[in-house]
Amino acid sequence: MNNRIREFRARYNLTQDDLALKVGVRRETIVFLEKGKYNPSLKLAHDISVVFNVKIEEIFLFDDPAPST
Amino acid sequence: MLFISNFVLGIYNIKFIHMKRSIVIFIIAAMVLITTGFWILSPGAIGDTMEYLHFGIILLIVLFALFIGYKRLKSEKRGEPAEDELSKKVLQKTAAWSYYISLYIWVAMIYIKDRIVMDTEIMLGTGILAMAVTFAVCWLVFNFRGIRNE
């Protein structure tokens, strides 16, 4: 799974510290998220998408195709 | 008396509620240091290389605890939580791995004990120190490598 957190952070002119404070995690967690070394919980992914005012799937990009229904 | 206890509890709630765990880490590190100090200062305490090694490992573990305490305090001062979902997952994975490795450490200790003459206290001390070192190493690995796809 990839993500566009860095891109959105730059767009909203937020530092890693700012984003960490807004979503209630440590700065290291944002660093690990941006490097792709950690996959967030659904709650954290939701909080990040709320900060950037977009849908979760616009920030977090899944490599695998969606399961067929 | 009630006033004093209320006052103390009030200060505790205001200033230390978010620093509780960091302070506990510092207190435990201080207690380990003081106990090690008593051991070092007792007559004839450090005699051979094995005891120097134990002393060195204890110091390393205390330094590791102080590093974690300092990191948490720094996070708290910045207004971040001392613990978040990543740090909790790192701790969970560290605990699981170090427990698993510790089982093998004790099997190895039993194997060694049957072949080398060793006091029971030395064997227990070495095993406990090895467990602590394993925990520290696992934490460092998971903390700096991250946890993917879990």
Side-chain angles (χ1 to χ4, degrees):
Chain A
M1 187 178 78
N2 298 314
N3 67 70
R4 297 163 63 199
I5 294 176
R6 194 189 299 262
E7 183 190 325
F8 274 95
R9 213 167 37 76
R11 196 181 293 175
Y12 281 79
N13 202 21
L14 286 175
T15 63
Q16 289 174 331
D17 272 322
D18 296 336
L19 182 59
L21 283 174
K22 277 179 189 285
V23 294
V25 295
R26 296 170 311 133
R27 192 184 65 85
E28 284 95 329
T29 305
I30 302 296
V31 173
F32 276 81
L33 281 172
E34 287 187 357
K35 285 183 180 170
K37 288 183 172 181
Y38 175 58
N39 292 341
S41 66
L42 189 56
K43 168 84 169 61
L44 180 55
H46 171 261
D47 289 349
I48 291 171
S49 69
V50 166
V51 168
F52 295 132
N53 202 22
V54 288
K55 288 180 182 172
I56 289 178
E57 57 264 34
E58 287 182 51
I59 300 178
F60 297 96
L61 313 168
F62 296 90
D63 303 325
D64 304 331
S68 55
T69 52
Chain B
M1 192 67 187
L2 190 66
F3 170 77
I4 294 171
S5 64
N6 278 342
F7 179 72
V8 171
L9 280 174
I11 292 174
Y12 174 82
N13 283 333
I14 293 165
K15 291 197 171 177
F16 299 125
I17 192 89
H18 300 299
M19 294 184 167
K20 257 192 302 193
R21 285 202 176 175
S22 309
I23 289 167
V24 168
I25 289 174
F26 287 124
I27 289 172
I28 291 172
M31 281 168 66
V32 172
L33 269 185
I34 290 167
T35 316
T36 312
F38 282 134
W39 170 51
I40 297 297
L41 294 174
S42 63
I46 289 198
D48 59 12
T49 320
M50 194 68 172
E51 282 164 348
Y52 277 114
L53 187 70
H54 281 174
F55 179 60
I57 292 171
I58 290 171
L59 277 186
L60 275 179
I61 291 165
V62 168
L63 281 177
F64 172 71
L66 291 177
F67 168 69
I68 290 182
Y70 172 72
K71 258 187 78 153
R72 295 176 72 108
L73 267 185
K74 219 169 78 173
S75 291
E76 284 157 356
K77 275 187 182 171
R78 278 205 300 249
E80 297 169 357
E83 262 188 344
D84 63 2
E85 60 176 59
L86 175 59
S87 65
K88 278 178 191 164
K89 273 189 184 172
V90 166
L91 209 57
Q92 279 171 2
K93 201 165 179 186
T94 301
W97 271 81
S98 55
Y99 170 72
Y100 191 64
I101 295 168
S102 295
L103 296 178
Y104 286 97
I105 288 174
W106 285 110
V107 170
M109 293 301 291
I110 292 166
Y111 178 84
I112 290 167
K113 193 181 181 286
D114 288 343
R115 282 152 186 83
I116 297 170
V117 179
M118 193 189 265
D119 288 342
T120 311
E121 299 94 56
I122 299 280
M123 194 191 88
L124 287 174
T126 308
I128 291 167
L129 282 179
M131 285 173 73
V133 169
T134 306
F135 184 88
V137 171
C138 286
W139 186 86
L140 286 171
V141 168
F142 294 127
N143 194 53
F144 291 107
R145 205 189 66 174
I147 295 174
R148 296 168 205 246
N149 296 325
E150 282 168 37

